[in-house]
Amino acid sequence: MTDRTSYIIEGDTGDWEVVIGMEVHAQVATNSKLFSGAPTKFGADPNCNVSLVDAAMPGMLPVINRGCVEQAVRTGLGLNAKINLWSRFDRKNYFYPDLPQGYQISQFQYPIVGEGEIEVEAEDGYSFVVGIERLHLEQDAGKSIHDLDPNATYVDLNRSGVALMEIVSKPDIRSPGEAAAYLKKLRAIVVALGSSDGDMEKGNLRADVNVSVCKVGNYAKFKETGDFGFLGTRREIKNMNSFRFIQQAIEFEARDQVEKIERGDKVDQETILFDTTTGETRSMRSKEDAHDYRYFPDPDLLPLEIDQAWVDEIRASLPELPDQKKQRFMDDYGLKAYDAAVLAADYDKADYFEAVAKGRDGKMAVNWVANELFGRLNKEDLTIGESPVSAEHLGELLDLIKSGEISGKIAKTVFEKVWDGEGAPAAIVEKEGLKQVSDTGAIEKIVDDIIAANPAQVEQVQAQKAEGHAKPKALGWFVGQVMKASQGKANPQAVNEILKAKLDL
């Protein structure tokens, strides 16, 4: 495990460091909305999943969805956070065409989940801890549609009232890469819990990213004192739903803030948007503070009281979480901590790996899954669910290597053919005549022919042996020639043993 690296921006007046906090909105996995019985199914025609409550018709009263509360508690437990047995819903007042009530029912002073923390594995191989400030429940707004008419804006209320969990981190994230890693870990947790499907393409998991910069050393002073005066003015990048774009947005925004400060301009507290086309952030509106929303307790909803026995019952039903899966992968399959963490962070990848590794060598399995398969998927921009190579076929390929029927080199050729849809590994090996040659007689003949044809290389091996080299480098040349002559089919172990005997090594 390597140490945590520093993300430093070099400026004209010295070095700067970046401070990041995130507010992640995860759609709660329930069939109905937070305060009504309207469905939450994605893809319905506009304004079809709307009840009178969602449309804010006069006299309609909200009724809390018990399933949403349970999912919030489940998520809080997965974040190692405090579950508040007493919480309250508030009205957050602001006006927008897709917010029919003129306010959002949310939680302000008394959220359902309090402080917690999660450990995150960075791509550079180190781990860091991110504190969770709170998790609260709130209802989503509708959607404004601007591209159907150049002179009008249409409103779709299908999302109005859908339950969201807003998970607020502490400013413990220190680089663009850490921000992406944190969101990946958070997504892995909610997906494993079943509290959200984490589908970022549908907007079911999206993040508001708060970015500020400060002179190197000031963050440490902030951590010591809790004084936010040591940090710079934060700007909030709104509605991010891509790991790659989150990193790009932070990189640009942090650099932009440094340049503003160094030329004497003021960094205003704003809500900003990231333009994926230009790679730049732009102002959306001035950032509101809590008092701007005029929060007050929602008079239509009683405080939410939860029994500890129910919390304990939910805790007992929790599935295996990413950290637990990581440890099991290390214990059961002998994986390194980083490999285990990468697999455990993605539900689908973890399932695929286990299907391949079950009953086989775990280290061989992770090498093929993480390097060969994932590398090819990344190159082709495919998800694990879109892989042309099934877990069953990859497992079969490993069995062929283990049994000695094919070499590792030939296995890569077979892998490519499976990827291209030419069939199962065993069938391809049989059809193409790719079985490894383990017949020592046949290998000996190839070795004898190559030794006889290359006396100069034989002398080189003997000279290196005389110099005291236990494994002369020239031996590798002979191995390569034998493999080439056998079209890669000769058993490498047998080739080495026969060459050593023939060359008196």
Side-chain angles (χ1 to χ4, degrees), residues 345-502:
D346 188 299
Y347 194 82
D348 294 330
K349 288 180 178 179
D351 278 355
Y352 186 102
F353 166 74
E354 286 219 79
V356 173
K358 190 173 182 180
R360 301 183 177 96
D361 181 84
K363 293 180 181 178
M364 179 188 287
V366 76
N367 180 56
W368 275 87
V369 171
N371 296 331
E372 299 298 329
L373 181 72
F374 291 173
R376 186 62 184 273
L377 290 174
N378 290 337
K379 183 180 178 181
E380 302 289 341
D381 197 24
L382 297 173
T383 66
I384 189 70
E386 297 168 326
S387 172
V389 181
S390 67
E392 180 185 0
H393 281 167
L394 188 53
E396 184 180 309
L397 186 65
L398 300 192
D399 291 339
L400 292 171
I401 300 171
K402 185 74 174 177
S403 68
E405 286 195 52
I406 60 174
S407 65
K409 184 176 180 180
I410 291 176
K412 292 186 178 182
T413 301
V414 176
F415 177 86
E416 290 298 321
K417 291 179 178 293
V418 176
W419 181 279
D420 292 336
E422 296 184 27
I428 291 171
V429 169
E430 189 67 36
K431 177 184 174 184
E432 302 285 340
L434 297 174
K435 282 189 178 180
Q436 181 168 256
V437 177
S438 297
D439 180 353
T440 55
I443 296 174
E444 274 194 54
K445 185 177 185 311
I446 296 173
V447 169
D448 287 340
D449 290 344
I450 292 174
I451 288 176
N454 296 280
Q457 278 75 15
V458 173
E459 288 182 12
Q460 191 176 355
V461 170
Q462 297 306 322
Q464 291 175 354
K465 175 188 172 185
E467 292 172 0
H469 297 289
K471 294 181 179 180
K473 290 182 179 180
L475 179 65
W477 182 86
F478 279 101
V479 173
Q481 292 301 304
V482 175
M483 297 306 293
K484 183 178 179 180
S486 67
Q487 295 180 318
K489 297 178 186 177
N491 186 312
Q493 184 177 350
V495 170
N496 273 279
E497 290 175 358
I498 292 170
L499 277 169
K500 287 177 181 177
K502 296 283 185 179

Side-chain angles (χ1 to χ4, degrees), residues 3-33:
D3 294 331
R4 191 175 190 180
T5 55
S6 298
Y7 181 80
I8 302 297
I9 296 176
E10 296 180 0
D12 295 334
T13 63
D15 291 342
W16 300 77
E17 50 189 341
V18 182
V19 183
I20 303 162
M22 296 178 73
E23 300 166 11
V24 177
H25 294 83
Q27 180 173 322
V28 179
T30 53
N31 293 325
S32 53
K33 297 182 179 181

Side-chain angles (χ1 to χ4, degrees), residues 3-271:
D3 294 331
R4 191 175 190 180
T5 55
S6 298
Y7 181 80
I8 302 297
I9 296 176
E10 296 180 0
D12 295 334
T13 63
D15 291 342
W16 300 77
E17 50 189 341
V18 182
V19 183
I20 303 162
M22 296 178 73
E23 300 166 11
V24 177
H25 294 83
Q27 180 173 322
V28 179
T30 53
N31 293 325
S32 53
K33 297 182 179 181
L34 183 55
F35 298 115
S36 81
T40 58
K41 188 176 181 180
F42 180 81
D45 290 336
N47 296 308
C48 288
N49 295 346
V50 185
S51 74
L52 297 176
V53 174
D54 307 322
M57 292 294 105
M60 296 297 103
L61 298 177
V63 177
I64 188 71
N65 183 334
R66 179 186 174 94
C68 295
V69 176
E70 181 175 350
Q71 295 287 41
V73 171
R74 182 182 300 276
T75 304
L77 294 172
L79 298 175
N80 304 305
K82 178 186 178 184
I83 306 302
N84 294 320
L85 301 182
W86 190 96
S87 61
R88 188 181 73 194
F89 286 98
D90 301 281
R91 290 188 180 180
K92 179 181 180 181
N93 295 274
Y94 65 97
F95 299 95
Y96 212 69
D98 56 20
L99 191 68
Q101 295 159 312
Y103 59 84
Q104 178 189 38
I105 301 178
S106 181
Q107 293 185 304
F108 177 47
Q109 284 184 302
Y110 304 101
I112 191 170
V113 176
E115 292 190 347
E117 65 177 29
I118 60 175
E119 184 177 359
V120 182
E121 295 76 22
E123 285 192 1
D124 291 344
Y126 64 89
S127 295
F128 61 100
V129 174
V130 176
I132 302 299
E133 184 71 41
R134 57 188 279 145
L135 177 156
H136 62 260
L137 282 169
E138 64 184 23
Q139 57 181 179
D140 204 353
K143 180 181 180 181
S144 294
I145 303 171
H146 306 288
D147 56 0
L148 294 180
D149 188 318
N151 301 310
T153 293
Y154 291 81
V155 175
D156 178 8
L157 294 181
N158 278 348
R159 291 191 65 88
S160 179
V162 167
L164 301 176
M165 296 179 290
E166 181 171 343
I167 304 165
V168 182
S169 84
K170 294 184 178 181
D172 293 339
I173 303 166
R174 308 305 316 286
S175 73
E178 287 190 1
Y182 166 74
L183 189 57
K184 287 177 183 177
K185 182 63 175 285
L186 195 58
R187 181 183 181 277
I189 291 172
V190 298
V191 170
L193 289 166
S195 58
S196 175
D197 66 10
D199 192 328
M200 298 175 73
E201 289 186 6
K202 295 178 181 176
N204 295 351
L205 187 79
R206 54 192 192 268
D208 299 337
V209 186
N210 291 288
V211 180
S212 67
V213 296
C214 61
K215 284 287 190 177
V216 169
N218 278 2
Y219 182 79
K221 295 176 182 177
F222 157 72
K223 293 296 285 186
E224 290 171 9
T225 64
D227 183 357
F228 280 88
F230 287 109
L231 305 183
T233 301
R234 63 185 173 90
R235 303 218 306 167
E236 181 184 56
I237 311 171
K238 198 73 175 171
N239 286 334
M240 301 295 295
N241 66 342
S242 160
F243 302 122
R244 179 165 60 93
F245 288 146
I246 282 174
Q247 293 185 76
Q248 291 179 7
I250 294 171
E251 288 170 3
F252 176 85
E253 176 59 27
R255 166 60 64 183
D256 190 53
Q257 288 187 25
V258 168
E259 291 176 354
K260 278 187 171 75
I261 296 169
E262 291 195 326
R263 66 172 177 257
D265 293 342
K266 180 184 177 185
V267 175
D268 294 318
Q269 184 172 314
E270 291 181 305
T271 297

